[in-house]
Amino acid sequence: IGEIEEYRSFWDFDKKIKVFKIYTKKSYFVPEISDHLFFNHGFYTAEHDIPYHQRALVDLAADGKYWLFNTNGEKKKLKVLVYDIETTEFSEGKENIPIDIIGHANFDVTFESNANLAEEKFSFDIIDCPSNWENMEIRQLVSQNSDEEIDNLFNFLKLVSGFDIISGHNIVGFDNCQIHNRLNWILKNFQDQLSTEKKRVFQEFLSKYSRTDKSFHFGVHSEAVQFYPCSLDTFHGVRKFYFFLNDYSLKSVAPFLGVVVKDRIVLTPTQMKIDDTTIKYNKQDVQEQLGVTLNIIQQALPLSFTTCMPFDMLLSSGAVSMWDHMSLIRASVQKKIMPPICRV
């Protein structure tokens, strides 16, 4: 039970009401506690069952301790890594799939921003962002056996932890998931063959730099894995900013955005081999994802800053969720009672 505070009514801002907050360890306790307070003690209640990471972001923002991508008017640089994997043994439902090829490239985005929460004034300017994806260097890690795969995953994970944004097309629903599952399997089955350093890096990445998640679109649930500091999945970005498209696959989105790779190779999962053709296909995938990322990041960064929502929340949510989140921040700052949020 929290301290007694003075809050403003949500319907009459001049009216002040004495309130106290009640916190529960389990969300399913809330209705019973609310009923008890209302029927047994005559208290009016407003319930809020809000995901933990959203509550934490709201509290940090409202207290002035943290605002996402706020540089306080200084120039800052974000390091962006774009990557794509190929798995020659992939089939739906199959586990323990080796990561045969990891292609990756990187670029920097320089920006400055300022958030004045008291006056609700926000400014965000991208100072420098590459305009040409065609000349960017693509690096590839190719594995011919399990020893090379473990070495390549080890080197890739060390690389990932040095970047601010990890990007790619459908990485949250596929690439991140495949790497996450494969690391778990390697740690379980190759304990005796892994060096102390490799074990440490693999375990630290699973516990600190990745999180299993769930993705929902029109009620359809799918498994997801987030890589941190943050994952920018351009599949979700395209679905948000170009919702009118009929197809959100990379092969359709890239040409729509003017990202055209000369002599583009197209392979089906059954055609994947560890050969020159598949290696070139992977390189072209990364090139397309670079071009799409450059487009999406210039829209996603300002919106993420303005709403104070990280990409994993922002890109998979609709306008209602964005307004809900900003309303929670405003209510906390202004000590204003909010009506319970309605979810469809």
Side-chain angles (χ1 to χ4, degrees), residues 88-102:
T88 61
E89 298 180 24
F90 178 78
S91 63
E92 204 66 48
K94 182 179 178 181
E95 297 181 356
N96 312 328
I97 301 168
I99 311 298
D100 299 306
I101 304 171
I102 305 175

Side-chain angles (χ1 to χ4, degrees), residues 86 88 101 140 265 267 271-283:
E86 309 302 343
T88 61
I101 304 171
Q140 291 172 290
I265 298 171
L267 297 177
Q271 293 174 318
M272 296 284 185
K273 298 175 183 177
I274 307 176
D275 59 10
D276 291 343
T277 301
T278 305
I279 290 171
K280 187 175 181 181
Y281 169 82
N282 172 258
K283 178 181 178 181

